[in-house]
Amino acid sequence: MSVNWVSRGLQRATAQLPVATRLALRNYSSGKDTAREFIDKAAKPFEVFDRNAKRMQRSRAASRTQTSREVDYLRDEVAARVADRLLDIKRRYHTVVELGAGCGHLAKAVDDDMMDKLIMCEMSPQALSRDVDTQYDVEVERRVMDEEMPQFEDESLDAVVSSLSMHWVNDLPGMLIRVRKALVPDGVFIGAMLGGDSLFELRSSLQLADVERDGGIAARVSPLTSSRDVGNLLSRAGMTLSTVDLDDIVVNYPSMLHLISDINSMGEGNAVVQRLPFIKRDTLVAASAIYKELYQNEDGTVPATFQIIYMIGWKPDPSQPKPLPRGSGKASLGELFDTKSQKL
């Protein structure tokens, strides 16, 4: 009886595990997998985004060259702001690696005063080669590489940047850890990603339309991280002197349908694993009407807010400044602000 009771308890506990972990455990118990293979499969991060679908979206968008270039405005603007942050660091780098380079937006914003060479890494060959004939101020090398799994030797890079691609990465901690390992001591990582309340107007309009037409909410817009989470991710990856700041970019469109069209032309369509394959026409029309009713500008356009999270993290090095030990201060805050202090 005791053996049966333990068996039933194990079955109940196993049933609560994720599907991938249950399958890995089944293969291990049957002798199909080794212990190391079992651990690797069980520890695999949960997949929120379909990376293959995202690669195809980027390739499809880049293949329509003229339309793709017309919607570069957001990526070009964010890439310019990332370049400004790199310029604030009073160093000149020999080689800088860009993860999720897209069609070369950062390459337009940098010059030979900042670096000698820029290595553009992008998982879509079509996007990477869209502007292959364009001449830049710096030497450019193109590599087909998934930004979620950057492959570089340890302590081989001076600086790594990423502009508007990290919001599609499933394993952000793993990506940042690989970046930190690839950086030389005191090397810097600068990233920019969509997050926070980005496209809250579109999200709320689609949710209200789904509730009205279908009685529920569907996964129309991908989940986004918050600035607080980004700071924790940098610390978890072993970065020091990390800084995180937010920036809102508001773009006005003639209608919600024009916004959706531009998003698809950017290759930024929905790539959530559990996404629905289509949206009903009446739901789309209802969402457009709700969008206009709630957020319309005085001139008849509708705004779309893109909240950009910028992050900077450094690989630890003994030469970096460190906080003084507690109790080493020699000036009283009360004296600085000309107030009387009292002992507690």
Side-chain angles (χ1 to χ4, degrees):
M1 293 295 292
S2 60
V3 174
N4 292 335
W5 179 83
V6 172
S7 178
R8 288 195 298 270
L10 289 174
Q11 290 176 357
R12 287 194 296 269
T14 305
Q16 298 177 358
L17 296 174
V19 175
T21 305
R22 294 205 303 270
L23 291 176
L25 182 59
R26 184 184 305 170
N27 289 336
Y28 175 60
S29 61
S30 62
K32 295 180 180 179
D33 289 343
T34 64
R36 170 54 58 186
E37 292 172 337
F38 164 68
I39 293 174
D40 290 342
K41 290 181 179 179
K44 185 178 180 180
F46 181 70
E47 292 188 359
V48 179
F49 306 113
D50 187 338
R51 296 289 296 170
N52 186 53
K54 178 50 57 184
R55 178 184 56 80
M56 291 190 293
Q57 288 176 1
R58 292 179 181 176
S59 299
R60 189 184 307 115
S63 64
R64 302 164 183 165
T65 305
Q66 186 58 35
T67 303
S68 176
R69 287 173 177 164
E70 291 175 356
V71 296
D72 278 347
Y73 52 86
L74 181 63
R75 289 184 176 276
D76 286 347
E77 177 63 27
V78 175
R81 301 185 185 190
V82 170
D84 286 341
R85 285 163 170 78
L86 187 61
L87 188 61
D88 289 338
I89 302 173
K90 303 304 180 183
R91 296 181 184 178
R92 189 180 185 279
Y93 295 98
H94 174 66
T95 302
V96 175
V97 171
E98 182 186 10
L99 301 177
C103 301
H105 310 279
L106 183 67
K108 304 175 189 176
V110 298
D111 55 40
D112 53 7
D113 290 334
M114 302 167 63
M115 65 189 73
D116 293 326
K117 182 179 180 180
L118 177 66
I119 299 179
M120 296 167 47
C121 302
E122 167 61 42
M123 67 176 178
S124 167
Q126 288 81 0
L128 194 62
S129 60
R130 190 197 72 178
D131 297 334
V132 68
D133 297 328
T134 302
Q135 297 295 322
Y136 302 106
D137 291 339
V138 298
E139 179 186 353
V140 170
E141 177 185 339
R142 292 174 170 85
R143 296 185 187 180
V144 178
M145 182 186 298
D146 190 347
E147 62 266 27
E148 189 169 22
M149 298 288 293
Q151 303 294 330
F152 294 98
E153 296 181 0
D154 291 351
E155 298 188 357
S156 62
L157 306 176
D158 295 326
V160 178
V161 298
S162 179
S163 178
L164 283 193
S165 69
M166 293 174 60
H167 52 277
W168 294 115
V169 172
N170 286 303
D171 185 15
L172 275 174
M175 172 196 168
L176 292 173
I177 289 173
R178 294 184 187 92
V179 169
R180 191 254 303 162
K181 290 181 178 179
L183 288 171
V184 298
D186 202 31
V188 64
F189 169 73
I190 302 177
M193 63 186 295
L194 286 175
D197 294 327
S198 291
L199 297 176
F200 71 90
E201 304 97 340
L202 179 62
R203 190 189 306 270
S204 60
S205 298
L206 289 172
Q207 289 176 348
L208 290 172
D210 276 329
V211 171
E212 178 188 349
R213 300 292 175 169
D214 300 324
I217 298 177
R220 307 289 186 190
V221 182
S222 70
L224 298 171
T225 187
S226 66
S227 57
R228 181 181 303 176
D229 294 332
V230 170
N232 294 335
L233 285 171
L234 291 172
S235 299
R236 179 179 173 184
M239 301 283 192
T240 61
L241 304 176
S242 58
T243 58
V244 179
D245 63 286
L246 300 176
D247 200 1
D248 287 347
I249 299 177
V250 181
V251 183
N252 293 324
Y253 295 89
S255 69
M256 186 196 79
L257 301 181
H258 289 82
L259 165 62
I260 294 177
S261 175
D262 276 17
I263 289 175
N264 290 328
S265 297
M266 294 176 189
E268 290 294 314
N270 191 2
V272 177
V273 172
Q274 298 180 347
R275 66 191 181 280
L276 295 179
F278 63 90
I279 180 172
K280 296 179 181 178
R281 181 185 297 271
D282 58 342
T283 303
L284 195 61
V285 172
S288 181
I290 293 172
Y291 200 121
K292 184 166 290 189
E293 180 66 25
L294 293 178
Y295 305 108
Q296 184 176 16
N297 296 320
E298 294 182 357
D299 59 358
T301 61
V302 294
T305 302
F306 299 91
Q307 189 170 88
I308 314 299
I309 301 177
Y310 298 93
M311 67 201 78
I312 301 176
W314 298 78
K315 184 167 182 176
D317 184 74
S319 65
Q320 293 172 347
K322 295 177 176 58
L324 295 174
R326 295 186 63 180
S328 61
K330 298 181 179 179
S332 170
L333 287 177
E335 295 175 356
L336 291 175
F337 293 100
D338 195 22
T339 58
K340 293 182 179 180
S341 60
Q342 295 181 352
K343 293 184 178 181
L344 299 178

